[in-house]
Amino acid sequence: MTDHGEGLRGDEIRALDRAYVVHSWSVQSALDPLPVVGADGARFTDADGRRYLDFASQVVNVNLGHQHPRVTAAIAEQAGRLCALGPGFAAEGRARLGRLLAQVTPGDLTSSFFTNGGADAVENAVKLARWSTGRPKIVARYRSYHGATAGAASLTGDPRRWSVEPGVPGVVRLLDPYPYRCPAGHPYDGVPPVPGRPCTHVTGPGACPVCSGGPHLEEVLRYEDPRSVAAVLLETVAGGNGVLVPPGDYLASIREVCDRHGILLILDEVMTGFGRTGRWFACEHWGVTPDIMTLAKGITSGYVPLGAVVVSARLRDWLQDHEFASGLTSTGNPVACAAGIATIETLRDEGLVERAAVLGERLGAGLTALAGRHPAVGEARGLGLLWCLELVRDGETREPFVPFAAKGEAAAPMRRLKEAAMARGLYLMTHDSFVLVAPPLVIGEDELDEGLALLDETLTVADDLVAQA
Ligand SMILES: Cc1ncc(COP(=O)(O)O)c(C=O)c1O
């Protein structure tokens, strides 16, 4: 026994883990996962009793912070009453969670199909788009992640797709609105996109067609035949691929082109939903409502696996006399739904969405200041409590800190940075040359400042690596 109430010591957990557990996206022999035995609020505790500030909300899912008592109580209460129920039954939890989702999502998003997580929400959204339009193709973006199942990985644009190639057919790609590295080669104007602020990249003569959205989509549709396209699938703000906030009227412009061609808009809000960006859902920043929204992660604050496909009233009506030709053993699991209800009610009752907007200003100011101080930081960008520091070898040329899709030795500088943060008690999520900063919405102001100070120290490691190069 350890002092922390667990049956196994840290070294025993480690040994069992190495012998019997396969971890995501990794060569197993390269791993040495930290045994974690507890957590509360914005911190977690390892088997030696060391505490870490969780500046990533695990994988940007623990929006309420760890072990929120209202959610743990709802899970325990439901577990004592009814743990499992077949897909064909009506249950209070499913029905109430469906109604809550209709209330908190924008526009006429109305009915939900419940899934086990984000990837199968995306799979089912795309299937529904294909059935209801009778069209085969889906337009998605390169710098995107939609999940690891075969279909969701095929829709994913980033290199996590490569392992399933040639993948599910019918996926067509857009380039990404990314002013810092404009794929159409337009010069960087030094100002990260923010909702409601005009962006020089997408206004005036010579505006970038890719960063404007509609013109680029229109061109791709011309070559593909718009009548063959069922849906455009986008992360509202691309998350894991560097928090790419769409500039100007990008989303409205995409929506307009979709509407003109009878194409559905699916917004993947798996990472950006449930207050993460300072609104219930990120698309509200631009007043754009999709036909289908995919959700997971923050829907239960990550406490129990759950996802949802929320569909417009028009699609709900279509489903009244057409088959929803899909299913899951655990759709609307009662314990997961109880966690979802408690999470949404807590976000609402504690004003945490508004809090994320306010704290986001503090976090954004802090990260922008770090970007100004550290040569290794090329840009700080984000929204609410979803931010990214993009690291570079050279601020002028914007050469990435590690090469695109780096693995093994090539990715070692990012690993060293993450280890340097952990050594200081700060947990960060990294991907390519991106440091994602996404603390729980309940984080205290003092904790936020503490995290920024630890990050400041940690970034000197990146500066040194760049200076040595
Ligand atoms: C935007 C987005 N969509 C989908 C997924 C897949 O979700 P899950 O891992 O629950 O399948 C993720 C996971 O990170 C995500 O960030």
Side-chain angles (χ1 to χ4, degrees):
M1 291 286 283
T2 67
D3 293 335
H4 315 292
E6 297 297 320
L8 298 176
R9 290 192 316 269
D11 58 334
E12 291 169 331
I13 298 173
R14 213 171 222 140
L16 284 185
D17 177 275
R18 295 301 58 232
Y20 297 113
V21 179
V22 176
H23 289 260
S24 313
W25 304 115
S26 307
V27 174
Q28 302 300 304
S29 62
L31 293 178
D32 184 18
L34 179 75
V36 171
V37 297
D40 57 274
R43 294 184 197 267
F44 61 89
T45 310
D46 74 13
D48 296 325
R50 248 196 112 210
R51 305 267 284 159
Y52 301 83
L53 190 58
D54 188 347
F55 237 34
S57 305
Q58 292 304 293
V59 276
V60 199
N61 57 340
V62 184
N63 287 5
L64 284 183
H66 296 274
Q67 301 299 109
H68 194 293
R70 188 159 167 189
V71 184
T72 56
I75 292 169
E77 196 278 330
Q78 182 64 46
R81 208 147 41 86
L82 178 69
C83 283
L85 189 65
F89 296 99
E92 181 181 333
R94 278 177 200 168
R96 284 183 49 215
L97 181 57
R99 182 178 61 185
L100 271 176
L101 288 176
Q103 287 168 354
V104 297
T105 53
D108 71 344
L109 291 168
T110 304
S111 289
S112 293
F113 174 66
F114 294 111
T115 64
N116 302 322
D120 54 342
V122 170
E123 300 272 1
N124 281 288
V126 163
K127 286 201 283 189
L128 177 58
R130 284 177 165 153
W131 303 324
S132 63
T133 59
R135 300 174 177 186
K137 292 184 194 167
I138 305 291
V139 176
R141 281 192 307 220
Y142 275 106
R143 291 183 185 266
S144 68
Y145 180 69
H146 295 291
T149 52
S154 302
L155 291 153
T156 289
D158 82 20
R160 284 172 280 190
R161 178 187 79 251
W162 297 351
S163 62
V164 300
E165 303 268 58
V168 171
V171 183
V172 176
R173 301 234 174 255
L174 293 179
L175 293 165
D176 304 82
Y178 187 7
Y180 188 66
R181 298 184 187 283
C182 176
H186 290 80
Y188 173 53
D189 62 10
V191 189
V194 174
R197 191 170 71 200
C199 172
T200 58
H201 212 66
V202 294
T203 54
C208 172
V210 175
C211 296
S212 305
H216 179 44
L217 173 60
E218 195 70 87
E219 182 167 7
V220 169
L221 291 176
R222 192 175 311 136
Y223 306 134
E224 293 292 336
D225 180 4
R227 290 162 306 176
S228 72
V229 175
V232 171
L233 164 70
L234 306 175
E235 288 180 74
T236 309
V237 175
N241 279 279
V243 187
L244 305 180
V245 178
D249 294 328
Y250 178 91
L251 275 184
S253 166
I254 296 273
R255 174 84 259 187
E256 189 276 320
V257 174
C258 286
D259 288 347
R260 203 145 29 79
H261 294 289
I263 295 169
L264 299 177
L265 178 62
I266 305 174
L267 290 181
D268 181 344
E269 293 250 4
V270 165
M271 186 179 279
T272 49
F274 300 100
R276 173 52 59 193
T277 69
R279 298 284 182 98
W280 275 94
F281 300 94
C283 59
E284 294 168 47
H285 288 284
W286 297 276
V288 171
T289 304
D291 300 286
I292 307 178
M293 187 184 270
T294 55
L295 301 172
K297 288 190 189 276
I299 190 170
T300 61
S301 202
Y303 291 15
V304 183
L306 181 67
V309 185
V310 193
V311 306
S312 66
R314 196 159 69 82
L315 283 168
R316 187 265 325 267
D317 291 348
W318 185 88
L319 284 167
Q320 298 311 305
D321 48 15
H322 295 85
E323 183 185 1
F324 184 77
S326 186
L328 291 162
T329 294
S330 295
T331 179
N333 170 271
V335 179
C337 288
I341 292 167
T343 298
I344 293 172
E345 288 181 344
T346 304
L347 285 168
R348 194 184 57 195
D349 296 349
E350 295 188 9
L352 291 173
V353 179
E354 297 74 16
R355 186 164 195 276
V358 173
L359 280 185
E361 295 291 322
R362 192 182 184 101
L363 178 62
L367 293 173
T368 304
L370 292 187
R373 257 204 310 281
H374 291 278
V377 180
E379 186 175 69
R381 55 178 175 261
L383 205 50
L385 289 177
L386 181 62
W387 279 77
C388 168
L389 295 178
E390 175 157 355
L391 303 189
V392 290
R393 300 217 146 243
D394 182 322
E396 285 298 310
T397 65
R398 281 172 270 140
E399 181 192 346
F401 188 63
V402 298
F404 184 73
K407 287 192 187 292
E409 209 28 54
M414 280 312 265
R415 277 200 303 279
R416 257 179 260 153
L417 187 78
K418 209 170 158 174
E419 284 160 15
M422 284 299 265
R424 291 167 172 79
L426 181 69
Y427 176 67
L428 297 173
M429 181 171 162
T430 61
H431 180 71
D432 271 353
S433 295
F434 309 125
V435 177
L436 259 62
V437 180
L441 278 49
V442 297
I443 192 167
E445 289 184 3
D446 49 340
E447 289 174 316
L448 200 65
D449 294 346
E450 177 191 339
L452 284 166
L454 294 171
L455 191 53
D456 194 7
E457 276 180 33
T458 302
L459 286 169
T460 58
V461 174
D463 294 339
D464 289 347
L465 287 170
V466 167
Q468 284 158 22

